Amino acid sequence: MTQCVLLTGGAGYIGSHTYAALVDAGYDVVILDNFSNAARDVPNRLEVLAGRGIHVIEADVLDRAALDTVFADHRIDAVIHFAALKSVGESVRKPLVYMQNNVGGLVTLMQAMEAAGVYRLVFSSSATVYGEAEQLPTPETAPLSYGNPYGHSKLICEQIIAETVASDPRWAVGVLRYFNPVGAHTSGLIGEDPAGVPDNLMPYVAKVAVGELPVLSVFGDDYPTPDGTGVRDYIHVSDLAEGHVLSLKALERDGTGHVVNLGTGRGYSVLELIAAYARASNRHIPYKIAPRRAGDAASSYADPSRARALLGFEAKYDLHDMCRTSWVWMQNAKKASD
Ligand code: UFG
């Protein structure tokens, strides 16, 4: 029988790509999103992509009554929980808002799931739970810590999940620790479109390449890395989306949960990413060296072996694909807004 999955935050960047991957894998999907950080036209774009009607409920994960209605109206088999706030800088300014949304949202959702008898959950966590990682590549067994309220909220969520799973064996939860998701769907129909000036590297580079921003600041060139700039494990968002499908399948198959890294295992520096984007877009990307950004680690990359062993996860796209798909999407997004 076709399984039906509820995607909270399903109109967002990672959520929308996971929608596409789930439809490809034969799932029915219901999206719940409050559109606080998603474009209004995403559902239409997903309809074009999937070639079928889409079920979108506009509601907040903190709204328990709305969640109860979703579970009453749909035969949900599992939930993938993306809906959360994710800006490190904003979390430092508004810690309570981050705790309420990220921690309160998870608790409200798990209570609604329990009431509805739905015990399969995939949770969006982050490599941020490793803090300044002591081990590189970083395995899931590395010590956990946090450096800001956003990271703290994800760590608390992981702990709440572990305690809840320990309290009731009916729960099966996949905790996915994302490294740095970038790129866009190969169709060019969906991608990352941050409002205003982006915090993250690739969307910033994309806006410089397309001419919306004049110059990129490279935050520090004196790190202990091969070229002195920060090294990260960039993973194509469609590979990440596939990781969610595999996590869901593992929960169905095994009946127990897992905690896994989703990364490629390969790190690239800021300068390598700029060079790759310049090649993929055939544009000059002006940059200047700026001071380090507070709280940034020198290097972060995953040990992806547990995801391979438990889920059969293997990243398919390389850095060039990440840049090329981002560039195609960026040009489409610009055309749509001109
Ligand atoms: N960088 C620049 N210039 C910019 C933006 C970023 O040089 O304008 C550099 C950063 O210093 C870093 C690298 O590019 O070396 C990547 O930075 P991002 O902001 O793209 O990504 P981070 O690794 O800092 O952050 C990501 C997620 C966070 C998460 C963190 C740790 O965006 O949500 O990983 O897991 F907390």
Side-chain angles (χ1 to χ4, degrees):
M1 208 159 86
T2 308
Q3 298 268 308
C4 182
V5 184
L6 172 65
L7 293 192
T8 74
Y13 174 47
I14 303 171
S16 57
H17 288 79
T18 302
Y19 177 89
L22 285 167
V23 168
D24 277 349
Y27 287 89
D28 280 338
V29 188
V30 174
I31 288 177
L32 180 134
D33 205 300
N34 68 2
F35 289 89
S36 64
N37 193 26
R40 289 275 163 194
D41 64 351
V42 169
N44 291 339
R45 288 166 175 271
L46 290 176
E47 275 190 345
V48 174
L49 197 60
R52 69 184 204 202
I54 184 170
H55 230 108
V56 182
I57 295 141
E58 183 168 347
D60 198 290
V61 275
L62 287 166
D63 184 345
R64 173 65 194 271
L67 292 176
D68 288 343
T69 305
V70 174
F71 285 110
D73 290 351
H74 302 271
R75 195 190 45 77
I76 304 289
D77 297 289
V79 179
I80 306 183
H81 180 43
F82 296 107
L85 301 175
K86 62 166 187 176
S87 162
V88 171
E90 186 186 47
S91 79
V92 175
R93 294 191 301 276
K94 302 176 183 170
L96 296 176
V97 173
Y98 270 67
M99 291 303 163
Q100 182 180 32
N101 272 273
N102 294 5
V103 178
L106 174 74
V107 172
T108 308
L109 174 67
M110 290 185 86
Q111 285 178 321
M113 289 175 67
E114 205 166 50
V118 178
Y119 292 97
R120 244 181 277 144
L121 172 67
V122 176
F123 177 69
S124 292
S125 190
S126 164
T128 194
V129 298
Y130 298 120
E132 180 104 27
E134 289 160 25
Q135 253 173 292
L136 288 172
T138 308
E140 292 80 356
T141 48
L144 304 181
S145 70
Y146 60 90
N148 53 67
Y150 163 70
H152 194 190
S153 74
K154 288 290 172 186
L155 193 52
I156 294 173
C157 286
E158 286 204 10
Q159 290 164 336
I160 289 170
I161 287 168
E163 287 160 2
T164 307
V165 167
S167 77
D168 185 339
R170 284 176 295 183
W171 282 100
V173 184
V175 172
L176 307 183
R177 293 180 180 155
Y178 311 155
F179 279 71
N180 290 59
V182 295
H185 196 268
T186 50
S187 65
L189 281 168
I190 51 171
E192 186 173 23
D193 194 8
V197 179
D199 285 332
N200 297 114
L201 180 62
M202 188 169 299
Y204 204 111
V205 169
K207 290 206 172 192
V208 172
V210 86
E212 278 180 36
L213 291 170
V215 58
L216 169 79
S217 292
V218 175
F219 297 142
D221 68 347
D222 55 354
Y223 284 106
T225 59
D227 65 18
T229 66
V231 167
R232 295 291 183 274
D233 185 340
Y234 298 98
I235 174 168
H236 193 284
V237 63
S238 293
D239 277 329
L240 194 76
E242 194 56 36
H244 293 73
V245 176
L246 294 171
S247 173
L248 214 51
K249 291 198 163 143
L251 298 180
E252 286 161 23
R253 185 183 63 231
D254 306 338
T256 57
H258 44 260
V259 177
V260 301
N261 288 335
L262 289 182
T264 65
R266 169 89 161 82
Y268 288 98
S269 74
V270 175
L271 296 183
E272 284 176 311
L273 187 140
I274 296 171
Y277 211 99
R279 267 196 308 278
S281 62
N282 204 21
R283 294 286 170 106
H284 173 59
I285 298 173
Y287 67 84
K288 59 173 195 258
I289 305 298
R292 290 183 180 192
R293 185 170 66 179
D296 272 355
S299 294
S300 159
Y301 49 95
D303 176 345
S305 47
R306 191 192 279 183
R308 194 182 308 128
L310 291 185
L311 310 183
F313 176 76
E314 203 82 59
K316 289 200 276 289
Y317 296 98
D318 64 15
L319 186 64
H320 181 73
D321 301 321
M322 300 179 209
C323 296
R324 191 178 41 81
T325 53
S326 159
W327 176 239
V328 170
W329 155 250
M330 202 54 213
Q331 288 168 291
N332 288 352
K334 184 159 175 15
K335 259 187 246 144
S337 70
D338 279 348

